[in-house]
Amino acid sequence: MTMLKLFGIVFFCGLLSPSQEVLSGLSCAVSPGAMQNVLSDAILQNGLLQQHLQGLVLPNIMGEGGLLNSPTSITGLHLVKVRLPKLSVVLLPGIGVQLTIAAKLELSGNCLVGLLSELIDILVDVNITANIKCTNFESGTVQVVIEDCLCILGAIKIKLLSGLLSLSVNDIVLKQLTATLPGLLCPVVDIVVNLVNIQLLGTLNAVIPVGTAGTIHYRLASLPFTSGLFLGLDLDGAVKQVGGSIIPHDSSPSALPPLMDKLLILGLRQSFLNAVLSLLIQIPPQTFTCVPEVFSGASHLQEAIMTLVPSGCSTCRGTSPLNIKLTLSGNPLILLEENKATVELSVLIQVFIKRLDGTILNLLLLKADLSLNAQVSIAGGRLVLGLSLGSISLSLESSDVGISNISNLKPHFSSLLTETLLPLINGALGIGIPLPNVLGIPLIKVDIQI
């Protein structure tokens, strides 16, 4: 089996309805139905196409013949309504998206045949196909351009108030509309597509608060990528502490993994996740006495430590419980492998006694390097990490009383950190990493692949 080492976490979303959503941050996927629904809502259902076609005025139509072989002229021809519009989407490898809009255009004007002037209504079927390409990537934004816009006219129905209509009027209208409509409709579609691009980019280029710790400013890391099978969006984000500076991370574009049965993939890199973890896991030093009320193995830990204290240390003896201080050292680091995520975290553990004169005697200063297994899930549009202890490496930094062998302390400190520090870390991560509402598609029924 081919082993893939991906740059981030991948979210695969199944066939989605308009009320459902896609993931982001890491990597995510959406079906063609979801993208089609999004574009249909933005262009058709919200009335954007109708709004920009409203008041469309066509050139006058002049022709010889008509009723009783009289000259025919149609003036003031304008769009009244767009009927039954339908939209479909196809991905084009290396180009972008092919957008097709089928609709019936209701036109109205004044028809003069000889000396007879009356209203004329025209209903024409149109099929507009436009290839949309993303270009000019800069600072998280892209420009869209339309290539090869094609407008094909179908059936035309003409109605005169008098009901008197000749085949020649039909021929004149068909010929003139075929010559003029594409040149009028394609520029309107271009305007609408660019407005939708701004609207949809707004769902990517978003500033989202991360609890009270700071904000994430999401944006595209590179141009969208299309194959014949999927559309890829490589996401990045500026992670900023409240009242502080941006937490730096590598923002180089990433190669997105292919999708087998999905249509959209969203990616966030490992370095971005590390920046967010640094923002979320900011736990102040924790100091407590080594008693069972704090953690269940307190008495066993104190006993194990006291057996290591040299007999000559008179101030070390007594019945008072030891004091313990836990301090996070450095920033957390998430490591992503195929189907596996771990968080590495270092903790300084200070075990000390308070003397009667108020001074402190350090029995032990230890460094614990933790490897924490991460379970990744999506809840409420947020990426949630739940951590459990995988392994611990314990090293002695210093001892004021000459303790040198700590090999028997590892299981005790594993219990200590599991019961005291790990709940605090999971509590900090519990708010989750907020994800942008990409394309307005909710994050529901998401499959996650690391």
Side-chain angles (χ1 to χ4, degrees):
M1 184 177 73
T2 301
M3 302 294 287
L4 297 177
K5 187 171 183 180
L6 305 185
F7 68 95
I9 298 177
V10 186
F11 305 97
F12 297 104
C13 308
L15 196 62
L16 304 179
S17 69
S19 64
Q20 293 176 310
E21 197 175 61
V22 184
L23 251 196
S24 124
L26 320 155
S27 283
C28 171
V30 181
S31 69
M35 290 190 289
Q36 188 162 302
N37 288 332
V38 166
L39 291 174
S40 181
D41 285 346
I43 294 175
L44 303 182
Q45 306 307 319
N46 294 338
L48 191 62
L49 181 64
Q50 172 81 34
Q51 174 188 339
H52 284 81
L53 285 176
Q54 197 69 41
L56 182 69
V57 177
L58 283 77
N60 293 336
I61 297 176
M62 311 297 293
E64 297 295 330
L67 188 66
L68 303 177
N69 293 321
S70 301
T72 301
S73 65
I74 300 175
T75 58
L77 195 60
H78 61 280
L79 179 75
V80 176
K81 187 177 181 181
V82 180
R83 292 188 183 179
L84 304 175
K86 294 182 180 179
L87 180 147
S88 60
V89 175
V90 175
L91 296 179
L92 300 176
I95 297 176
V97 174
Q98 184 178 83
L99 183 70
T100 299
I101 299 174
K104 295 179 180 292
L105 301 185
E106 183 180 338
L107 308 173
S108 185
N110 185 67
C111 180
L112 178 65
V113 181
L115 300 177
L116 180 63
S117 177
E118 57 181 315
L119 294 177
I120 184 171
D121 293 321
I122 302 172
L123 190 64
V124 55
D125 291 345
V126 296
N127 194 286
I128 307 168
T129 300
N131 295 340
I132 303 172
K133 182 178 181 179
C134 294
T135 184
N136 296 339
F137 173 81
E138 183 178 357
S139 300
T141 62
V142 296
Q143 179 184 354
V144 295
V145 295
I146 288 184
E147 299 180 341
D148 303 323
C149 179
L150 179 64
C151 181
I152 300 176
L153 271 59
I156 294 180
K157 294 182 180 180
I158 302 175
K159 180 181 177 182
L160 288 172
L161 187 62
S162 65
L164 299 175
L165 187 65
S166 69
L167 292 176
S168 60
V169 173
N170 255 327
D171 293 339
I172 293 169
V173 170
L174 178 60
K175 181 179 179 181
Q176 293 296 322
L177 291 184
T178 301
T180 58
L181 264 181
L184 296 174
L185 295 179
C186 282
V188 172
V189 172
D190 183 67
I191 292 171
V192 168
V193 166
N194 274 279
L195 289 173
V196 170
N197 177 56
I198 294 172
Q199 174 187 330
L200 295 183
L201 275 181
T203 68
L204 298 171
N205 189 15
V207 178
I208 307 177
V210 186
T212 58
T215 59
I216 299 175
H217 184 182
Y218 281 103
R219 60 179 179 270
L220 282 173
S222 60
L223 275 173
F225 171 78
T226 55
S227 73
L229 300 176
F230 71 91
L231 169 65
L233 301 177
D234 186 12
L235 299 183
D236 192 19
V239 183
K240 186 177 182 180
Q241 298 177 340
V242 168
S245 59
I246 292 176
I247 300 174
H249 69 275
D250 181 11
S251 295
S252 302
S254 302
L256 295 172
L259 294 176
M260 299 304 294
D261 58 351
K262 312 299 176 183
L263 249 291
L264 170 66
I265 184 169
L266 310 175
L268 283 179
R269 72 226 46 245
Q270 179 174 281
S271 58
F272 167 80
L273 296 178
N274 283 326
V276 180
L277 289 184
S278 297
L279 178 67
L280 288 176
I281 304 178
Q282 297 188 30
I283 299 172
Q286 304 292 309
T287 303
F288 48 86
T289 54
C290 187
V291 293
E293 289 80 6
V294 175
F295 78 104
S296 59
S299 58
H300 296 295
L301 174 60
Q302 176 148 334
E303 181 181 347
I305 292 175
M306 295 311 296
T307 60
L308 300 177
V309 175
S311 57
C313 182
S314 58
T315 58
C316 302
R317 307 300 170 181
T319 57
S320 299
L322 300 177
N323 296 286
I324 297 177
K325 182 178 181 181
L326 303 179
T327 306
L328 296 185
S329 175
N331 292 320
L333 178 67
I334 189 168
L335 299 177
L336 301 177
E337 304 171 72
E338 187 178 10
N339 300 323
K340 182 181 179 181
T342 55
V343 174
E344 294 187 348
L345 191 66
S346 294
V347 184
L348 292 178
I349 306 173
Q350 181 185 7
V351 182
F352 62 94
I353 294 174
K354 290 183 179 179
R355 294 190 178 103
L356 293 177
D357 61 1
T359 60
I360 289 176
L361 177 66
N362 284 318
L363 300 184
L364 288 169
L365 180 60
L366 306 171
K367 182 181 180 184
D369 294 319
L370 308 180
S371 179
L372 306 172
N373 298 323
Q375 295 296 321
V376 185
S377 61
I378 299 298
R382 294 171 178 265
L383 177 74
V384 180
L385 274 69
L387 305 182
S388 60
L389 183 61
S391 63
I392 177 174
S393 175
L394 204 61
S395 59
L396 177 64
E397 297 290 300
S398 64
S399 171
D400 291 350
V401 297
I403 297 175
S404 59
N405 184 0
I406 60 169
S407 58
N408 293 331
L409 298 181
K410 182 176 177 179
H412 301 293
F413 281 109
S414 293
S415 299
L416 167 69
L417 295 172
T418 299
E419 292 188 36
T420 60
L421 184 63
L422 208 50
L424 295 176
I425 296 174
N426 280 322
L429 294 175
I431 65 170
I433 301 172
L435 302 170
N437 187 19
V438 177
L439 306 182
I441 305 174
L443 302 176
I444 297 175
K445 296 182 180 179
V446 179
D447 298 321
I448 300 173
Q449 176 181 324
I450 301 173

